């Protein structure tokens, strides 16, 4: 009986002895608290928790935001350059328009100077010192001067697109004619047409710049 009790005590004390021997040698039981704590500390020291790691979606959003910011900066610079170029073009255009207003008739004025020269030479033929015997010769010079002046004026007008209207016989047009009065329609004159021109009208490149003052033929004898 005593032997059986002694054997039971030894059997229960054996695991404790093995555990004590393991601690004395530096071994840790795989299920001990120290082993679990050390393993947890090692995991925490190597990798952060999953909730602290940026997800792939967040990384993609950050990259996209950086790309969009660069595009915005590039578009802003291009817009500023376009505004500056537009302003420069506007200023140059305005300057050209102003120059055109001032010097647009430069060529026309240059041709008119030649007409003025002819007129001046013609008027020099008339003077108070002209002898009566020379009046005929003077009149001939004046006539030639005036004829030359008229021819030169017609040439200048044609060169610059200025055309004199000849509306006699044409149908009355309020856009080209200024009605002065009505006259009885004569032989060969159709009612409603221009019978007489009191003042010539002119067109510049096809646009009427001065209406012709006209008298229009009617069937009645009444004048306005």
């Amino acid at each position: 009986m005593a032997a059986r009790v002694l054997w039971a005590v030894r059997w229960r004390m054996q695991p404790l002895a093995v555990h004590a021997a393991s601690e004395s040698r530096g071994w840790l039981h795989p299920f001990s608290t120290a082993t679990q704590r050390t393993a947890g500390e090692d995991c925490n020291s190597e990798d952060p928790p999953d909730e602290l790691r940026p997800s792939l979606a967040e990384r993609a959003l950050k990259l996209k935001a950086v790309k969009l910011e660069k595009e915005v900066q590039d578009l802003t610079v291009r817009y500023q350059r376009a505004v500056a170029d537009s302003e420069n073009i506007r200023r140059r255009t305005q300057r050209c328009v102003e120059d055109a207003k001032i010097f647009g008739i430069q060529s026309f004025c240059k041709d008119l100077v030649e007409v003025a020269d002819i007129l001046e030479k013609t008027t020099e033929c008339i003077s108070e010192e002209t002898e009566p015997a020379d009046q005929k010769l003077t009149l001939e010079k004046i006539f030639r001067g005036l004829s030359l002046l008229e021819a030169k004026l017609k040439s200048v007008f044609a060169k610059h697109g200025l055309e004199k209207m000849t509306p006699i016989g044409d149908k009355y047009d309020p856009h080209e004619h200024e009605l002065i009065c009505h006259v009885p329609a004569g032989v060969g004159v159709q009612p409603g047409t221009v019978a007489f021109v009191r003042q010539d009208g002119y067109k510049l490149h096809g646009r009427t710049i001065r209406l012709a003052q006209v008298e229009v033929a009617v069937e009645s004898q009444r004048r306005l």
Side-chain angles (χ1 to χ4, degrees):
M1 182 68 179
R4 183 178 295 180
V5 171
L6 180 60
W7 179 83
V9 170
R10 288 180 178 178
W11 182 81
R12 291 189 178 183
M13 293 297 293
Q14 186 176 3
L16 296 176
V18 173
H19 181 71
S22 299
E23 289 183 351
S24 63
R25 296 178 182 179
W27 299 347
L28 293 177
H29 194 271
F31 299 101
S32 65
T33 305
T35 303
Q36 294 177 0
R37 183 172 60 253
T38 304
E41 291 175 356
D42 293 342
C43 293
N44 292 335
S45 61
E46 291 179 359
D47 299 322
D50 293 340
E51 59 270 11
L52 298 180
R53 299 178 184 177
S55 63
L56 294 178
E58 292 178 351
R59 294 180 181 177
L61 288 176
K62 289 182 179 180
L63 293 176
K64 188 174 182 180
V66 172
K67 182 179 179 180
L68 290 176
E69 185 177 357
K70 292 181 179 179
E71 291 180 357
V72 169
Q73 294 177 354
D74 181 60
L75 291 175
T76 302
V77 173
R78 292 169 60 183
Y79 170 76
Q80 293 175 350
R81 291 177 179 175
V83 171
D85 293 340
S86 177
E87 181 64 19
N88 293 333
I89 293 175
R90 187 190 66 81
R91 291 179 180 177
R92 288 196 297 267
T93 303
Q94 183 177 3
R95 191 182 305 113
C96 291
V97 171
E98 292 176 355
D99 292 343
K101 290 180 179 179
I102 297 174
F103 302 104
I105 60 173
Q106 180 176 354
S107 178
F108 184 71
C109 293
K110 182 179 179 181
D111 293 334
L112 284 182
V113 170
E114 298 180 6
V115 176
D117 293 339
I118 297 174
L119 182 60
E120 183 178 358
K121 292 179 179 179
T122 302
T123 56
E124 289 178 356
C125 297
I126 305 174
S127 63
E128 297 180 355
E129 299 178 356
T130 304
E131 297 294 334
D134 298 333
Q135 289 181 356
K136 183 179 180 179
L137 181 59
T138 302
L139 292 175
E140 291 178 356
K141 291 182 179 179
I142 294 174
F143 177 78
R144 288 196 300 269
L146 293 176
S147 299
L148 183 60
L149 180 62
E150 182 182 14
K152 187 61 179 180
L153 274 176
K154 289 181 178 180
S155 174
V156 172
F157 289 168
K159 178 180 178 180
H160 294 278
L162 186 60
E163 177 186 3
K164 183 173 72 172
M165 294 186 289
T166 55
I168 294 181
D170 295 342
K171 187 176 180 180
Y172 171 73
D173 184 356
H175 298 290
E176 296 183 357
H177 309 144
E178 180 183 355
L179 178 61
I180 301 301
C181 66
H182 289 96
V183 296
V187 179
V189 179
Q190 296 294 329
T193 60
V194 177
F196 183 76
V197 178
R198 290 193 177 183
Q199 186 180 70
D200 293 326
Y202 285 89
K203 289 183 178 182
L204 181 61
H205 297 292
R207 177 185 295 179
T208 301
I209 61 174
R210 191 177 80 173
L211 298 177
Q213 296 181 357
V214 299
E215 297 179 4
V216 179
V218 293
E219 294 182 356
S220 64
Q221 302 294 325
R222 181 173 56 86
R223 289 176 176 261
L224 297 180

